[in-house]
Amino acid sequence: MVSKLDVIVAGGGRVGFETATILDDRGHDVTVVERDQERADAVSDQYVATVVTGDASNPEILEQAGVEDADAIAGLTGQAGLNLAVCMEAKEIAPGIRTVARIDTRAKESYTRFVDTVLFPELAGARNAANEIIGSDVETLADVTGTLDIMQIRVAEGAPAAGRKLSEVRFPAGTLVVSDDDGNRIARPETTLDAGKRYVVAVEPDVADEVMNLMRG
Amino acid sequence: MSARAAGPTDGESRTEARVSQRDRSPEADLGLLDATMIGMGAMIGAGIFVLTGLAAEIAGPAAILVFALNGVVTAFTGLSYAELAASIPKSGGGYAFVREVFADLPSFLMGWMLWFAYMIAGALYALGFAPNFLELLHVYGLVPPPEAVGAIALPVVDLALPAAFLLAFLAVLGLVSLNAVSTAASGSLETVFTIVKVSILVVFVAFGVASPMFSTAEFQPLFPEGGGALAILPAMGLTFIAFEGYDLITTVTEEVENPRENIPKAIFVSLAATVVVYLAVVTVAVGTLGAQGLAEAGEAGIAQAATSFMPTGIPIIQNGGAIIVFGAVFSTLTALNAVVIASSRVAFSMGREGQLLPSFGQIHHRYGTPFVAIVASAVVMLGSVVLPTQSAGNMSSLFFLLSFIVVNGSVIKLRRERPDMNRPYEMPFYPAPPIIGIVLNLVLTVVLIEFLVRTDPLALALSAAWIGLGVVSYLALNHLRTDPDAAEGTAAGDEQVPLEDD
């Protein structure tokens, strides 16, 4: 169980950059491939990922990004076709890699033959927008907090906190375990963090990696 | 100037909801000065206090050249560190960079060597702490001079141990325990510590130059008789470790403002400032006590030089030399603390990368520290304080030299294999600096090994044994990984704890 992943993000735009930032916060290794030199410099300055400047559909660039040893690649540019091409190339070079492509339509099914997962960020954005428009009743948690991360985390087998009572585990300041296993009850000090069960946890971004270490190993 | 306004999160992830985060990290607040201080603080510590006497023993008054040339040699590797740190956004220091560039075995060996270098440096600083601490007690008449303090009998185990050894052992044990159960010691006092250390050395230099004992005649002849100019090479190998530490700047890159400008600057400024401080200190030490006297004082050379010329009769502290001796005690302890943290951090990163047992890469559920990594490092450090100081210095320098060669090699490999990687800082005159760096480090390595063959085969044997043990561990770990059934239960962490030191 290696919990630290080596991830390539193709596209350093809004979606790509934010994704890289989140992955970096959680302690993963990220390499961003960005075509535009100016944009690449800007991403470099944020110091969340190694940046390779070039076209991600160029196999040579993908190799420079370390595709052979990567655990996952995400095509997150604004062009669905390019994303798909990047993922398929990566799969060809490194068959074990997990591929995620950003697409621009709701019709996911037709793509999943070629990539492991697709995502349609505009749909999530639209959901948020709809929540905002309709008002308080159907807001998701993410919209009422500032910078907190509300995550559902599955405790991994063999993680430091696995099998321990909440009262025995010293989570870093800025962490709150919210729910009991599988989200039916509010967590209590005697709640046990069982491997394989999921818990809702609120964390401040700067301690997210420590919480991940404790719960995921 | 790229602080971009983060829009609403438009990525949806499977397992969590998350809101936008505005900046890369909320505490990117270290400036150029702080980063420089971290580098200087790590370098100016034990090395200058502990090794000046030993360098004088080998090279005579040319000890001054030894420190100057080591500064030059290190600067080339400094360029490589700067380029790597600016383009690879990881806080793991040398190991993290090499891991990015090289295959499994070489990067494992790099981590393995660097880990050892820090641990042996810890033993070295502990061994430097002990005689200086005894000297401090001696200044106040609490104990006889260090060389006269005999063995302390341990009634429980019916064994007599030299007091200095016992002190070194206790210093390591104390700091390791502190770091194992709390993260407070890895704190933010670095800048204050550095200012204290540098101020004490400035006092030393000022009084030394003004003292009637100071005489340029001590520098004649510059080179020791019979040895000639080449005699300084082994001394360079031994004292190379005095410039180890600027690489710690790269371990905090994430917290530095505008890293692509400030990190390279901090590396060079701290190196230059450290060279200046060292030269002044060594000049004064040789000029007052003479190379001969320094050599005789060994680990407490600077402290003894100070007590010889500092004014006495000052209120409260009585002997002015006590300030300098206190500086030596303080520096060796803070440096020891820094390497306890640095060594466990290397082991922790290796555990995270799956290059040591996973337990090395885990945070302790109660203490919030990389507990296993610290305890494993402590075992080696405690075992190593039985070594003579000079052996510890030699071994530590040897492993830093080797790892610096690999760091320079990483720059070249990365430039060739990933030409399109974004390099916010590119070193000037590439490829000359890394090649010169490799050649110079290699020369010192060869000289050091040759010197060890003649004078200290034990250190060489232990070094070889450590590398051998590393290869065995690597193979064993790979075997465990391909055979997952055997992986957990049997490998309860002990297998990785090296015990070849007695």
Side-chain angles (χ1 to χ4, degrees):
Chain A
M1 175 203 66
V2 176
S3 53
K4 178 174 181 174
L5 300 180
D6 201 341
V7 184
I8 299 172
V9 172
R14 282 200 301 276
V15 179
F17 172 67
E18 295 297 340
T19 307
T21 307
I22 295 172
L23 289 171
D24 175 66
D25 279 347
R26 296 199 195 145
H28 300 294
D29 280 350
V30 189
T31 304
V32 170
V33 182
E34 168 60 42
R35 192 164 40 187
D36 179 59
Q37 182 65 52
E38 211 171 293
R39 182 68 202 156
D41 288 342
V43 174
S44 266
D45 275 346
Q46 294 302 307
Y47 219 72
V48 296
T50 307
V51 180
V52 174
T53 312
D55 184 341
S57 64
N58 176 348
E60 209 170 279
I61 294 290
L62 273 186
E63 266 163 33
Q64 286 190 38
V67 68
E68 275 150 63
D69 302 317
D71 298 298
I73 185 166
L76 298 180
T77 71
Q79 296 159 267
L82 178 61
N83 295 337
L84 204 59
V86 168
C87 287
M88 290 168 71
E89 266 176 49
K91 201 77 169 181
E92 188 72 28
I93 301 171
I97 202 168
R98 178 176 166 78
T99 54
V100 180
R102 172 185 172 187
I103 54 172
D104 51 11
T105 144
R106 276 168 182 263
K108 298 186 170 191
E109 293 72 25
S110 49
Y111 290 96
T112 44
R113 278 164 52 206
F114 304 106
V115 294
D116 294 324
T117 310
V118 291
L119 59 94
F120 180 31
E122 285 82 353
L123 181 60
R127 266 197 213 116
N128 286 352
N131 283 342
E132 291 292 340
I133 293 162
I134 295 164
S136 59
D137 286 347
V138 287
E139 274 181 346
T140 57
L141 276 174
D143 295 317
V144 295
T145 56
T147 58
L148 284 182
D149 286 358
I150 314 284
M151 311 183 193
Q152 187 173 349
I153 303 174
R154 196 172 67 83
V155 176
E157 203 78 54
R164 297 190 191 275
K165 286 202 176 86
L166 215 46
S167 56
E168 289 176 327
V169 181
R170 188 194 286 174
F171 280 104
T175 317
L176 180 66
V177 179
V178 179
S179 81
D180 205 338
D181 55 272
D182 295 321
N184 296 322
R185 297 176 72 210
I186 293 295
R188 290 162 171 74
E190 64 273 18
T191 296
T192 320
L193 295 169
D194 289 327
K197 296 274 176 55
R198 292 169 189 276
Y199 299 83
V200 174
V201 184
V203 300
E204 292 172 13
D206 48 338
V207 296
D209 55 341
E210 279 173 63
V211 174
M212 286 298 161
N213 187 308
L214 286 165
M215 299 187 71
R216 300 288 304 162
Chain B
M1 289 294 95
S2 68
R4 49 188 304 281
T9 328
D10 42 5
E12 184 190 39
S13 175
R14 285 168 303 131
T15 49
E16 72 286 311
R18 185 192 154 104
V19 285
S20 61
Q21 201 197 339
R22 249 145 228 91
D23 249 320
R24 63 192 154 103
S25 81
E27 60 282 314
D29 52 4
L30 298 180
L32 176 60
L33 183 70
D34 298 297
T36 307
M37 285 298 178
I38 287 172
M40 287 182 70
M43 281 187 278
I44 301 181
I48 186 73
F49 285 103
V50 181
L51 296 173
T52 306
L54 300 176
E57 193 177 344
I58 300 173
I64 182 167
L65 279 183
V66 167
F67 281 97
L69 290 176
N70 266 343
V72 174
V73 171
T74 311
F76 290 104
T77 312
L79 284 167
S80 293
Y81 261 110
E83 176 166 321
L84 291 172
S87 48
I88 302 177
K90 289 187 188 171
S91 287
Y95 169 69
F97 303 149
V98 173
R99 178 79 185 131
E100 177 92 8
V101 182
F102 280 99
D104 279 351
L105 182 60
S107 59
F108 170 84
L109 280 177
M110 169 74 185
W112 188 252
M113 294 192 303
L114 203 58
W115 186 29
F116 194 58
Y118 282 127
M119 288 188 291
I120 297 294
L124 172 71
Y125 298 157
L127 288 167
F129 158 78
N132 281 303
F133 188 68
L134 288 175
E135 175 82 21
L136 185 63
L137 296 180
H138 165 58
V139 171
Y140 289 106
L142 295 176
V143 297
E147 55 275 15
V149 177
I152 291 177
L154 287 185
V156 193
V157 291
D158 192 23
L159 185 72
L161 289 170
F165 165 73
L166 204 65
L167 268 176
F169 193 84
L170 287 178
V172 173
L173 204 62
L175 286 177
V176 163
S177 316
L178 186 67
N179 281 295
V181 300
S182 127
T183 50
S186 55
S188 43
L189 292 171
E190 201 55 50
T191 304
V192 180
F193 286 173
T194 309
I195 290 170
V196 170
K197 288 193 261 192
V198 174
S199 316
I200 288 174
L201 288 174
V202 167
V203 169
F204 174 82
V205 170
F207 277 94
V209 171
S211 135
M213 283 179 67
F214 184 76
S215 151
T216 51
E218 297 285 1
F219 292 95
Q220 304 295 338
L222 188 57
F223 296 106
E225 283 169 39
L230 283 181
I232 67 170
L233 282 177
M236 283 178 71
L238 169 65
T239 58
F240 191 73
I241 191 184
F243 286 97
E244 175 280 315
Y246 68 84
D247 49 316
L248 291 187
I249 296 173
T250 63
T251 62
V252 296
T253 317
E254 250 172 296
E255 289 144 54
V256 175
E257 316 161 8
N258 196 5
R260 71 168 158 182
E261 219 175 88
N262 281 336
I263 291 294
K265 270 190 196 161
I267 288 178
F268 302 130
V269 174
S270 65
L271 259 178
T274 303
V275 169
V276 170
V277 171
Y278 282 1
L279 290 188
V281 169
V282 177
T283 306
V284 166
V286 173
T288 53
L289 210 54
Q292 192 67 37
L294 263 183
E296 277 159 18
E299 296 95 330
I302 297 290
Q304 288 213 354
T307 39
S308 72
F309 65 71
M310 290 295 281
T312 52
I314 302 171
I316 305 170
I317 55 171
Q318 297 167 16
N319 187 333
I323 302 175
I324 312 302
V325 184
F326 169 76
V329 170
F330 181 75
S331 299
T332 44
L333 269 189
T334 49
L336 176 56
N337 188 52
V339 292
V340 166
I341 295 167
S343 63
S344 60
R345 197 177 284 165
V346 174
F348 179 74
S349 313
M350 291 179 76
R352 297 291 303 159
E353 293 282 346
Q355 293 211 304
L356 285 178
L357 289 176
S359 50
F360 279 72
Q362 290 185 341
I363 296 177
H364 190 275
H365 71 278
R366 178 158 288 279
Y367 304 129
T369 57
F371 192 77
V372 176
I374 290 179
V375 170
S377 310
V379 170
V380 178
M381 274 192 222
L382 290 173
S384 313
V385 294
V386 302
L387 293 170
T389 307
Q390 190 155 0
S391 299
N394 282 328
M395 283 162 76
S396 182
S397 289
L398 176 64
F399 279 92
F400 277 117
L401 281 167
L402 289 173
S403 65
F404 280 12
I405 292 172
V406 183
V407 166
N408 282 308
S410 303
V411 170
I412 296 173
K413 192 162 189 290
L414 207 58
R415 286 253 194 167
R416 306 185 102 184
E417 288 180 1
R418 304 190 190 175
D420 295 313
M421 199 170 116
N422 223 42
R423 289 179 176 77
Y425 170 78
E426 287 195 16
M427 65 171 71
F429 308 116
Y430 178 85
I435 291 175
I436 297 173
I438 288 175
V439 169
L440 292 178
N441 285 322
L442 210 55
V443 167
L444 284 183
T445 308
V446 170
V447 168
L448 187 57
I449 289 178
E450 193 270 338
F451 179 72
L452 289 181
V453 168
R454 277 190 289 122
T455 62
D456 196 355
L458 174 72
L460 201 60
L462 286 176
S463 305
W466 178 259
I467 292 182
L469 189 72
V471 174
V472 172
S473 308
Y474 178 80
L475 296 176
L477 203 66
N478 266 1
H479 181 71
L480 278 180
R481 208 170 308 137
T482 48
D483 182 15
D485 295 339
E488 273 317 304
T490 58
D494 294 310
E495 193 164 300
Q496 287 295 328
V497 179
L499 288 166
E500 104 275 26
D501 295 309
D502 40 23

